[in-house]
Amino acid sequence: MKQYVYFLIGLCLIRAVPVQAQYKPYYYKDHEVGVTVKVGMHQNYGRLPDPITADLKIATAIGLQYDYYLAPNWSMGLGVQYASQTTDFTGRNLKGSSQETDWENEVFTFSYEGKKYKEQWKVSQLHIPLTVHYVGKGETALYIRTGIQYSLMMNTKATLTWNQLQTSGFFPQYNLHLDQDLLYAGFGYQEQVEHKPDVELKNRWAWIGEFGVKHNLRDNQNLYVGLYVDLGINNQKSSGRENNKQLVAYQPIPDQALTYQRVEESTTTVFKNYNFGIQLRYSFGL
């Protein structure tokens, strides 16, 4: 009798173990790892000195995404992405003037006028998104993801270009106007001026969102195709670098009389930006 009871218990255990082992993987995978590629557009929406504008430019990113499933349809995600973008600030027919004193202690009015101005930033950064993800059931289903993203600024290269720049000085005490062939003193015409200043930006916080379709390619392999939006929420302007100088400024140093200021250095600037575009993610369950 005891042998018969032991036999029945053993048979039940043998049948139960495969069922328990197979049930959870069939229901959903705990872990999902994927590769993400994003291509979209980048735009500044902060405040710029009038009449400077920011152009719409391309932004790209590639990275890895990890999701831990709390339930069949819900997961928490953590990722890392290398992103690059270009930002152009442009203006036409810019002019300005200021009261200055030269190296001989003479007071005069410094003026400048440029036909075209362009300041281009090439920015690379490391995105770290923390998200919540919902995906529907079925071989093909809708999904939505939202969360916050912290971006580490890795490198920013800037190029500042002026076309047809004219600078001059008016000395009222002598009724004298200087505007030709005196570039060592800061006065004259230049067809093109190119300057490569240093630019420092603060790390970035953003709200991010995705919406699209998930398609099951094969067992435990999925392709996500969707639209994304990335909205910066903090001012990335570096503190302690702003001043009230014009974009072209005078300094009383022979042969270095002209200095070229960045948009960043204006007291009125606020640097915030947003991105939107298409995102692809190939992932597999573990």
Side-chain angles (χ1 to χ4, degrees), residues 29 31-38 65-67 69 72-75 133-136 138-145 210-217 220-227 278-285:
K29 289 291 187 179
H31 311 279
E32 188 175 52
V33 178
V35 178
T36 298
V37 177
K38 298 162 69 174
Q65 177 70 35
Y66 166 76
D67 281 281
Y69 275 81
N73 304 99
W74 291 93
S75 69
H133 177 220
Y134 172 82
V135 60
E139 183 179 1
T140 301
L142 296 176
Y143 81 90
I144 188 169
R145 182 186 296 272
E210 302 172 27
F211 175 78
V213 176
K214 181 213 77 172
H215 179 68
N216 181 244
L217 300 174
N220 294 326
Q221 296 183 38
N222 298 309
L223 177 65
Y224 294 85
V225 181
L227 303 176
I278 299 173
Q279 176 171 276
L280 301 178
R281 179 183 297 114
Y282 166 76
S283 64
F284 53 92

Side-chain angles (χ1 to χ4, degrees), residues 18-243:
V19 172
Q20 291 176 354
Q22 293 175 13
Y23 176 74
K24 194 171 184 179
Y26 176 77
Y27 195 47
Y28 67 92
K29 289 291 187 179
D30 282 338
H31 311 279
E32 188 175 52
V33 178
V35 178
T36 298
V37 177
K38 298 162 69 174
V39 178
M41 305 302 291
H42 164 82
Q43 177 68 63
N44 185 84
Y45 77 95
R47 186 171 63 247
L48 299 174
D50 188 52
I52 301 296
T53 60
D55 299 336
L56 191 66
K57 304 292 289 185
I58 293 177
T60 60
I62 184 169
L64 299 174
Q65 177 70 35
Y66 166 76
D67 281 281
Y68 177 74
Y69 275 81
L70 307 171
N73 304 99
W74 291 93
S75 69
M76 295 287 293
L78 179 65
V80 60
Q81 301 170 6
Y82 174 80
S84 62
Q85 64 191 41
T86 300
T87 302
D88 285 355
F89 302 102
T90 58
R92 290 184 174 274
N93 301 317
L94 303 182
K95 61 179 64 177
S97 62
S98 58
Q99 293 298 116
E100 304 291 347
T101 302
D102 68 12
W103 57 81
E104 294 181 346
N105 212 31
E106 296 284 354
V107 177
F108 71 100
T109 300
F110 172 78
S111 301
Y112 74 88
E113 183 172 357
K115 184 70 173 178
K116 184 179 179 181
Y117 172 82
K118 179 179 178 180
E119 185 173 334
Q120 183 177 85
W121 296 357
K122 293 185 178 295
V123 180
S124 60
Q125 52 197 309
L126 194 67
H127 295 328
I128 305 173
L130 178 62
T131 56
V132 176
H133 177 220
Y134 172 82
V135 60
K137 296 180 180 180
E139 183 179 1
T140 301
L142 296 176
Y143 81 90
I144 188 169
R145 182 186 296 272
T146 188
I148 59 172
Q149 178 173 274
Y150 184 67
S151 300
L152 295 169
M153 297 296 108
M154 298 177 64
N155 189 28
T156 303
K157 295 182 179 180
T159 302
L160 189 159
T161 306
W162 280 96
N163 291 98
Q164 301 179 35
L165 177 64
Q166 175 71 61
T167 55
S168 62
F170 176 68
F171 295 79
Q173 60 273 38
Y174 306 115
N175 195 27
L176 179 64
H177 185 259
L178 302 176
D179 62 358
Q180 296 294 327
D181 302 324
L182 294 169
L183 285 177
Y184 77 94
F187 315 132
Y189 176 81
Q190 298 178 82
E191 184 65 29
Q192 186 178 79
V193 179
E194 185 175 285
H195 180 54
K196 295 187 176 182
D198 295 329
V199 174
E200 295 182 10
L201 297 176
K202 291 181 179 179
N203 293 333
R204 180 174 181 265
W205 286 97
W207 168 81
I208 56 176
E210 302 172 27
F211 175 78
V213 176
K214 181 213 77 172
H215 179 68
N216 181 244
L217 300 174
R218 54 190 303 180
D219 187 34
N220 294 326
Q221 296 183 38
N222 298 309
L223 177 65
Y224 294 85
V225 181
L227 303 176
Y228 76 90
V229 61
D230 170 341
L231 180 66
I233 55 179
N234 68 307
N235 184 5
Q236 290 187 263
K237 180 178 179 178
S238 295
S239 58
R241 300 179 64 87
E242 60 187 30
N243 58 56

